[in-house]
Amino acid sequence: MYCSVLQFGGGRFLRAFVDLFVEQAREDGQDVGDVVVVQSTVSPRAEYFNRQSNGYHVLIRGIVDGHHVERLEKVRVVRRAIVADEAWEEVQSVALQESIKWVVSNVTEAGYALEIDDSIAKPRSFPAKVTSILFSRYNAGLSGINILPCELLTENGKRLHELVYKQAQAWSLSDNFFEWLACECIWADTLVDRIVSRPPPDHPLFEQDRLLAVAEPFAFWGIQAKEKITFFSHPSISIVDDLMPYATRKLRILNGAHTALVCKAMPLGFVTVREAMEDGTIRSWLERLLFDEIVPVVESVTGNAKEFADSVLERLANPYLDHKFKDISLYHETKIKTRLQPTYEGFVKLKGHAPTLLEEMLLSSR
């Protein structure tokens, strides 16, 4: 089997998201190729990938249409993993395969930065690594690649392109290479949404499968590119003209619900989202907030707002996840301003009066 995906990062999210999607597309009969993982962090993960030649598992747990779901998915598409600092030449060798079509990544926001005096022969930063492999492909006369970063950053593809451009300038690379970057490579902006967590230590597979991950049933991968992008198909993947409506839907409904629960449930002594959702009074309050005050505003700018809110209630009630309010409450004041305040203002503009529950939260947070 040939390699089609060069993946920067091998953490739980990519294993239960991109890699699982590739596996499922292959099971569906699509010719999608294998994945090669590039590891940049200090961890034994690459060793686990290479040792577990028969793949790893993703445990899907949650609620769908009111029913509890628990199934085990096996992922076999990761051919091997390479530690970048130890074997950059091997990464370059993979990148020079004509079959490589897509670069995916999940390096966190901290990875979107350049380093002073970085080396094209042994790059340290993530943008420098991408620049180095693309320059190698350009010099070899190979085709460009579709780049699909999965970091939770607005316009992540555009931002990565800008960083690669700056790194290429710092290395004084040829003018034709800049044109190749812009014309032959597709820099997609993406929006990813799936909660992935650690496996339970008492799971029967835990000891033998060191890459075991747990994911909720819900998943969404929105992809926006200026040019038509060639990609495999999957029920959770949507190639769209504009990601903004989907980003707004996620921010105002899912993230807004999390922040609202911090305002309402945390002062009452609830520790996790799951515990709060098991309380009938809290759940009823959240349903009124979502469907009476948030959804009417969001559905004016994006579709399927009510359906998304229904799925959010099931996701928040997932009995297998313990999402702690102390973690959600970090940067709480900023989250109120970005997740709840715009909905409040949109409601006033839409209805001509203040939304009761949102107003109570905003007043109490001052």
Side-chain angles (χ1 to χ4, degrees):
M1 179 64 69
Y2 63 91
C3 295
S4 62
V5 181
L6 186 60
Q7 176 175 299
F8 286 86
R12 283 191 301 273
F13 178 78
L14 289 178
R15 298 201 303 271
F17 195 77
V18 174
D19 299 337
L20 179 57
F21 291 175
V22 174
E23 178 72 34
Q24 291 169 335
R26 179 184 293 179
E27 291 174 358
D28 190 45
Q30 299 181 58
D31 185 16
V32 291
D34 282 338
V35 177
V36 172
V37 169
V38 180
Q39 177 183 311
S40 297
T41 56
V42 177
S43 115
R45 197 174 296 130
E47 178 187 345
Y48 297 151
F49 274 117
N50 294 329
R51 190 171 65 199
Q52 295 182 196
S53 58
N54 198 32
Y56 63 89
H57 298 84
V58 178
L59 181 60
I60 307 295
R61 284 176 152 186
I63 302 174
V64 178
D65 297 331
H67 302 287
H68 285 236
V69 170
E70 183 167 355
R71 68 178 186 272
L72 197 63
E73 301 270 5
K74 190 156 190 177
V75 180
R76 307 175 184 84
V77 295
V78 178
R79 175 180 292 188
R80 63 177 170 139
I82 306 170
V83 179
D85 291 343
E86 297 176 1
W88 181 247
E89 297 80 6
E90 289 186 36
V91 178
Q92 290 280 24
S93 177
V94 174
L96 286 173
Q97 295 178 20
E98 182 64 51
S99 60
I100 292 292
K101 299 178 182 178
W102 307 297
V103 167
V104 297
S105 64
N106 187 29
V107 300
T108 75
E109 185 173 357
Y112 274 55
L114 302 178
E115 295 190 18
I116 298 174
D117 297 327
D118 213 332
S119 165
I120 193 170
K122 196 170 184 179
R124 299 187 302 275
S125 77
F126 167 59
K129 289 182 172 74
V130 175
T131 310
S132 179
I133 64 168
L134 291 179
F135 189 61
S136 294
R137 285 185 68 90
Y138 163 77
N139 279 334
L142 296 175
S143 59
I145 300 181
N146 301 305
I147 295 107
L148 301 101
C150 295
E151 293 77 23
L152 290 174
L153 298 169
T154 303
E155 296 185 323
N156 44 20
K158 179 182 178 182
R159 292 174 66 172
L160 181 57
H161 185 195
E162 290 171 349
L163 287 168
V164 167
Y165 191 95
K166 289 179 181 178
Q167 185 63 72
Q169 285 182 315
W171 285 338
S172 301
L173 302 183
S174 66
D175 291 341
N176 289 338
F177 175 60
F178 290 94
E179 183 178 352
W180 184 87
L181 282 178
C183 299
E184 298 296 325
C185 295
I186 296 178
W187 304 82
D189 294 329
T190 73
L191 175 68
V192 299
D193 188 3
R194 170 169 256 180
I195 297 172
V196 179
S197 61
R198 295 178 183 275
D202 60 346
H203 193 277
L205 286 174
F206 184 74
E207 289 301 324
Q208 67 188 73
D209 185 356
R210 305 305 296 177
L211 297 170
L212 175 67
V214 178
E216 63 174 339
F218 180 90
F220 175 78
W221 190 0
I223 300 169
Q224 174 190 330
K226 292 181 180 179
E227 303 85 358
K228 184 177 181 181
I229 189 168
T230 302
F231 208 42
F232 62 88
S233 62
H234 187 278
S236 295
I237 297 176
S238 295
I239 298 177
V240 301
D241 295 328
D242 185 6
L243 279 176
M244 187 54 65
Y246 299 90
T248 299
R249 187 178 69 177
K250 179 185 176 186
L251 180 70
R252 303 284 190 88
I253 297 178
L254 174 63
N255 301 137
H258 275 132
T259 297
L261 285 172
V262 169
C263 295
K264 182 70 174 180
M266 194 174 179
L268 298 176
F270 291 96
V271 176
T272 68
V273 172
R274 175 182 53 79
E275 291 171 350
M277 292 297 291
E278 289 172 351
D279 182 273
T281 302
I282 296 293
R283 181 172 179 123
S284 177
W285 174 88
L286 182 63
E287 288 175 353
R288 285 188 288 122
L289 174 69
L290 284 174
F291 296 109
D292 294 349
E293 299 186 0
I294 296 179
V295 166
V297 178
V298 176
E299 67 184 1
S300 66
V301 295
T302 184
N304 301 319
K306 183 183 182 301
E307 292 82 353
F308 186 75
D310 286 331
S311 73
V312 163
L313 286 173
E314 291 190 328
R315 297 172 71 185
L316 297 178
N318 190 333
Y320 305 106
L321 291 176
D322 284 322
H323 202 171
K324 293 181 172 56
F325 284 126
K326 70 176 182 179
D327 297 327
I328 303 172
S329 65
L330 294 174
Y331 310 108
H332 184 57
E333 291 183 4
T334 299
K335 289 177 179 177
I336 286 176
K337 291 178 181 178
T338 58
R339 299 175 175 185
L340 300 179
Q341 182 73 39
T343 305
Y344 172 87
E345 294 170 356
F347 189 97
V348 172
K349 185 176 180 181
L350 184 69
K351 301 289 189 178
H353 61 87
T356 304
L357 302 181
L358 281 168
E359 186 171 52
E360 288 175 356
M361 278 188 289
L362 294 177
L363 288 175
S364 65
S365 66
R366 291 175 182 172

